[in-house]
Amino acid sequence: MAARLIPRLGSLVDRVLGRQAEASAPAPRRSNPDAVVDCAVYVNGRRETGRPHYADAYARSRRGRNAFVWLGLHDPGAAVMAAVGRTFGLDELVVEQALADGHRPTVQRHDGVTLLVLRTASYVEHAELTATSEVIDTGDVMVFLGDRFVITVRHGASGALTPVRHDIESRPAVLAEGPWAVAYAVAARMVDLYLEVAAHLEKDLERVEESVFAPDRGADIQHIYQLKREVVEFKRAVLPLQEPVRALVADRAGEPPPGLRRWFLDVESRLSRAVERVAAYDELLNSVLQSRLAQLAVDQNNDMRKIAAWAAIAATQTAVAGVYGMNFTHMPELTWRYGYAGALLLMATAAVVLHRLFRRSGWL
């Protein structure tokens, strides 16, 4: 009996010790999905060390005072966005919106979460403007603002937010205002990009304008149309942002902290400059396009005049040859010894006279 009990007791002890070892072992560390660009917890405007999983970071931010988590996502998939939505309590409609790009700039509020949508823009370097040149690359950024979190979802290659994070982390006094400080930093970065793109775009417009009014008129109208399309796309990114920014400044949506009001006023002021530039560029392109169309009409008219002049000269030769080629019986010139030479001389004289007349009138 004792021989049978000893192995059973040993097995029972091993199981108990194994369970205790499993209980005392640390839980495996969770890693963020690939769509997560960065995740950090900020306390009193300063970043805590490490890059925790967004669920752990949100739990830490809710336990501390003056703390929030900033989660940055780039082109997240449906599974990742659904998990993020469950963790932060986002509305299903908002989660679906975050999966698509091409949204119009707006500010909305859903169950205590404010959604700020901005369009990104970047200038695409090109050696020369062609009929298919990409001048401006656009995308969008969606900023979800809650009590203890801010989530930025970026679509497209342009508008990277890593410089925004580095810049705002160097300003802890502003970052201490909470998640809305991140919204201000993102909006300020987008407006700065608009002004940079506008500066590059101005140079393209100057080159197109010079080519249109150059003596040789080498500008292709397809190039102007392509630049016009790019400016219209840029205009769609910049102009609709005015109303959301005004709403934030007027405290009609999102309720940003009073300490950030003057910073949003600065964003509104710089956005107004960008809007004015884009509107001016659009009008200038319309004027350049109309000028080029007028030039083409004048060139076509000149070509038609030249064609008509040469047709008149050729018609004279045809008329003379037709008359003397009828071979009627009673034509005195048919028996004239110098009739052939006279007919050629008549045609040549008529051609020279008509050519000089047309040259004098500007048709040739």
Side-chain angles (χ1 to χ4, degrees), residues 215-217 291-306:
D216 56 353
R217 297 178 183 177
S291 300
R292 186 55 183 152
L293 290 175
Q295 290 176 353
L296 290 176
V298 171
D299 292 340
Q300 291 175 355
N301 185 45
N302 291 335
D303 293 339
M304 291 302 298
R305 291 166 65 180
K306 290 180 180 180

Side-chain angles (χ1 to χ4, degrees), residues 47-68:
R47 175 171 181 161
E48 292 189 347
T49 58
R51 183 185 169 186
H53 188 271
Y54 59 83
D56 299 333
Y58 185 43
R60 286 165 56 184
S61 67
R62 297 179 67 179
R63 289 194 299 267
R65 295 183 57 186
N66 299 325
F68 71 93

Side-chain angles (χ1 to χ4, degrees), residues 8 50 58 90 94 103 143 154 201 227 276 317 331 353:
R8 293 181 180 178
Y58 185 43
L90 301 179
V94 173
H103 294 287
V143 184
R154 182 170 63 91
L201 194 59
L227 189 58
E276 291 174 359
Q317 319 304 311
M331 291 185 68
V353 172

Side-chain angles (χ1 to χ4, degrees), residues 211-229:
S211 63
V212 167
F213 295 102
D216 56 353
R217 297 178 183 177
D220 188 348
I221 195 168
Q222 296 297 330
H223 300 172
I224 304 176
Y225 275 123
Q226 177 63 18
L227 189 58
K228 175 68 174 177
R229 286 194 293 266

Side-chain angles (χ1 to χ4, degrees), residues 272-355:
S272 298
R273 293 202 303 270
V275 169
E276 291 174 359
R277 290 187 181 183
V278 174
Y281 296 161
D282 191 33
E283 293 179 1
L284 178 59
L285 259 180
N286 288 334
S287 300
V288 171
L289 184 59
Q290 293 299 323
S291 300
R292 186 55 183 152
L293 290 175
Q295 290 176 353
L296 290 176
V298 171
D299 292 340
Q300 291 175 355
N301 185 45
N302 291 335
D303 293 339
M304 291 302 298
R305 291 166 65 180
K306 290 180 180 180
I307 294 172
W310 285 112
I313 295 174
T316 304
Q317 319 304 311
T318 304
V320 174
V323 169
Y324 285 97
M326 290 187 291
N327 295 324
F328 288 127
T329 303
H330 300 288
M331 291 185 68
E333 294 83 1
L334 293 179
T335 58
W336 184 34
R337 181 177 181 181
Y338 302 103
Y340 178 71
L344 292 180
L345 180 61
L346 177 60
M347 288 189 288
T349 302
V352 171
V353 172
L354 288 174
H355 186 272

Side-chain angles (χ1 to χ4, degrees), residues 10 17 20 22-23 30 42 59 89 108 116 128 135 145 152 156 158 176 182 197 199 204 249 265 280 295 308 334 342:
L17 292 178
Q20 291 179 351
E22 290 179 359
R30 292 185 291 182
Y42 297 88
Q108 304 172 2
L116 175 62
E128 62 179 3
V135 180
L145 298 151
T152 55
S158 63
V182 177
V197 172
D204 283 336
V249 171
L265 282 171
Q295 290 176 353
L334 293 179

